[in-house]
Amino acid sequence: MEKRVMTDSKRRKGLMAASALLGGVLVLTACSGGDDKSSSGSGDSSQSQADAAAAKKSSQADITITPKDGSDGASINNSAAVTVSKGTLTGVTMTTAAGTAVAGTLSADKTSWKPNAQLERSTTYKVAAEAKDSAGLAAHENATFTTVSPANSFIGTFTPEDGSTVGVGMPVSINFDKQITNKAAVQKGVTVTTSSGQEVVCHWFSTQRMDCRPETYWKENSTVTLKLALDGVEGASGVYGVQQKTVTFHIGRNQISYVDAKTKEMKVTEDGKTIKTIPISAGSPEHTTYEGIMVMSEKYKQTRMNGTTVGFTDNDGKAEYDIKDVPHAIRLTNSGTFLHGNYWGAKSVFGSVNTSHGCVGLSDTKGANDTTTPAYWMYTHSIVGDVVVVSNTGDKTVSPDNGLNGWNMNWTAWKAGSAV
């Protein structure tokens, strides 16, 4: 009995070993791939066919959106665009994060799209684009980007305005809304040229103001072009320009007026010839008028003049004067010097006595509608940028940065204020 059990046990072990050996052969055969090449080749062919089919179903149109998806601090100028290669655009939408649509224009060949206007700062935009290839298969692309913030950008407010006609003394004056520490980089992004061929140099009055002018007055009837290529220019650490703009203005006739506080008259010249002599009343001995070259910067048919705004107050703190309807007022300085009409003074003072608080007064009528007065004539014959030269007042020469009066600085000193 015991012998038979041992025989069965041995037999079971032998079967298990044989089975294990057979299993090992089978496993080895499976891992090595065996010799059945027809089976393997069928699998590769199926995958290739699947890849080829997928490729045929995919559009060849390749859409590119700029700025790229996820961009921060993007430019607000002409940087947003959608283009496509190997296809044509069939639809582009651009919206703000709030859902406001941005109008744009598709090119004639339907391969590019751009917004019609400058983008807003600190705004997130979403772009969705669709295109088709020659086989009519559609491709889609999406992107979201955010434009530069006001805190990290600067702009320059400039004068004169595009398309305007100004006098021969009108400088290009740019006031920046941030302090510019990298003046050279910013100045290189500003070019001023003139059809007369005059050399134009820019001068920094401060970290926020730069004026540009030629050595002598602009040539009459010439054209001046200002180009601002400041987009992406680093004006200070982490603060970049956003402006990309071209401005063109025209220089009119050469009108220069000469105020003589001693003779108390003003001679108005055009192209070097006197066309009008007007009696005036300049600043009194207690409140003399600045001397020097002054440029007309603003014109008002009527305006209010209050002494407190320029420091003229009585002992009780009240204004020495407050005239709410000063007629035909033309600004000459930022500090408050005007060439203006005067209806409250006796007609006899004009040409005989200096009575003002520093302005140059001309006889006028209340209401600014009397076309026969000297002030009316001067107002209607003047444009912003015309020059007024004041002499014999006994006061100091006006500061070059008080208004648009850089002409009171000689050419050497002016060029010394350039950063390039």
Side-chain angles (χ1 to χ4, degrees):
M1 187 71 173
E2 181 179 354
K3 186 176 180 179
R4 185 173 57 82
V5 171
M6 291 294 292
T7 300
D8 290 344
S9 175
K10 288 180 180 180
R11 184 164 50 201
R12 284 196 297 269
K13 289 181 178 179
L15 290 171
M16 291 173 64
S19 179
L21 179 59
L22 180 60
V25 172
L26 290 173
V27 171
L28 179 61
T29 300
C31 288
S32 66
D35 293 329
D36 191 355
K37 294 181 179 180
S38 62
S39 175
S40 174
S42 176
D44 290 345
S45 177
S46 297
Q47 185 60 53
S48 298
Q49 290 174 3
D51 290 344
K56 288 181 179 179
K57 293 180 181 179
S58 179
S59 176
Q60 297 299 305
D62 186 10
I63 302 172
T64 300
I65 298 176
T66 52
K68 65 180 181 179
D69 186 39
S71 296
D72 193 14
S75 168
I76 62 174
N77 298 288
N78 300 325
S79 61
V82 179
T83 59
V84 65
S85 61
K86 299 180 182 179
T88 56
L89 292 169
T90 55
V92 177
T93 59
M94 183 175 183
T95 60
T96 65
T100 303
V102 176
T105 300
L106 186 66
S107 64
D109 61 3
K110 299 182 179 180
T111 61
S112 65
W113 179 96
K114 281 191 172 185
N116 291 340
Q118 186 183 68
L119 304 182
E120 299 293 331
R121 289 189 286 181
S122 283
T123 303
T124 297
Y125 291 93
K126 296 182 178 182
V127 182
E130 179 182 345
K132 287 185 178 180
D133 62 10
S134 58
L137 296 175
H140 298 266
E141 192 69 44
N142 294 274
T144 300
F145 63 89
T146 302
T147 52
V148 64
S149 69
N152 295 108
S153 61
F154 71 87
I155 61 171
T157 303
F158 56 85
T159 190
E161 297 180 358
D162 186 35
S164 60
T165 296
V166 297
V168 296
M170 189 71 180
V172 171
S173 184
I174 307 173
N175 287 275
F176 298 101
D177 65 348
K178 300 283 194 312
Q179 290 194 13
I180 303 300
T181 56
N182 193 356
K183 292 180 178 179
V186 172
Q187 188 174 333
K188 288 176 182 177
V190 178
T191 57
V192 183
T193 56
T194 173
S195 62
S196 67
Q198 292 173 279
E199 178 190 11
V200 182
V201 174
C202 297
H203 178 98
W204 290 87
F205 282 118
S206 68
T207 57
Q208 291 185 249
R209 177 181 172 184
M210 182 179 75
D211 285 16
C212 309
R213 68 168 178 87
E215 181 175 5
T216 57
Y217 302 135
W218 302 104
K219 179 69 175 176
E220 61 271 15
N221 300 314
S222 61
T223 299
V224 181
T225 300
L226 163 66
K227 289 186 177 181
L228 300 174
L230 297 174
D231 191 19
V233 174
E234 190 170 22
S237 179
V239 180
Y240 298 87
V242 295
Q243 289 170 294
Q244 200 74 22
K245 191 176 184 66
T246 298
V247 175
T248 301
F249 59 95
H250 183 70
I251 306 300
R253 73 287 176 275
N254 184 325
Q255 180 171 303
I256 303 174
S257 301
Y258 297 89
V259 173
D260 188 332
K262 186 175 182 179
T263 63
K264 302 171 187 63
E265 66 180 15
M266 175 174 64
K267 291 184 178 180
V268 183
T269 69
E270 186 172 317
D271 299 325
K273 298 179 179 179
T274 301
I275 60 172
K276 187 83 168 177
T277 299
I278 301 174
I280 59 95
S281 180
S284 68
E286 297 79 22
H287 305 297
T288 51
T289 306
Y290 285 130
E291 294 189 357
I293 302 168
M294 303 182 209
V295 175
M296 297 180 182
S297 58
E298 293 178 301
K299 292 176 63 183
Y300 304 99
K301 184 178 180 181
Q302 294 186 90
T303 191
R304 179 182 182 181
M305 291 188 180
N306 188 306
T308 59
T309 62
V310 288
F312 291 127
T313 58
D314 296 324
N315 294 332
D316 58 3
K318 294 183 178 179
E320 290 186 16
Y321 58 88
D322 185 5
I323 306 170
K324 295 179 175 61
D325 58 350
V326 177
H328 300 126
I330 303 173
R331 181 182 290 278
L332 300 179
T333 71
N334 289 343
S335 62
T337 307
F338 278 81
L339 178 71
H340 64 78
N342 179 329
Y343 65 79
W344 53 90
K347 302 297 183 184
S348 59
V349 304
F350 301 101
S352 60
V353 184
N354 292 321
T355 60
S356 82
H357 281 77
C359 292
V360 177
L362 290 70
S363 180
D364 208 344
T365 302
K366 185 178 178 66
N369 291 316
D370 187 345
T371 62
T372 66
T373 68
Y376 176 90
W377 183 94
M378 187 65 191
Y379 185 86
T380 55
H381 282 76
S382 298
I383 58 176
V384 168
D386 281 348
V387 177
V388 178
V389 183
V390 181
S391 62
N392 297 323
T393 68
D395 205 331
K396 63 182 180 181
T397 299
V398 64
S399 176
D401 62 347
N402 187 359
L404 303 175
N405 300 325
W407 302 103
N408 294 286
M409 185 180 293
N410 66 48
W411 190 234
T412 299
W414 184 266
K415 292 174 72 175
S418 171
V420 298

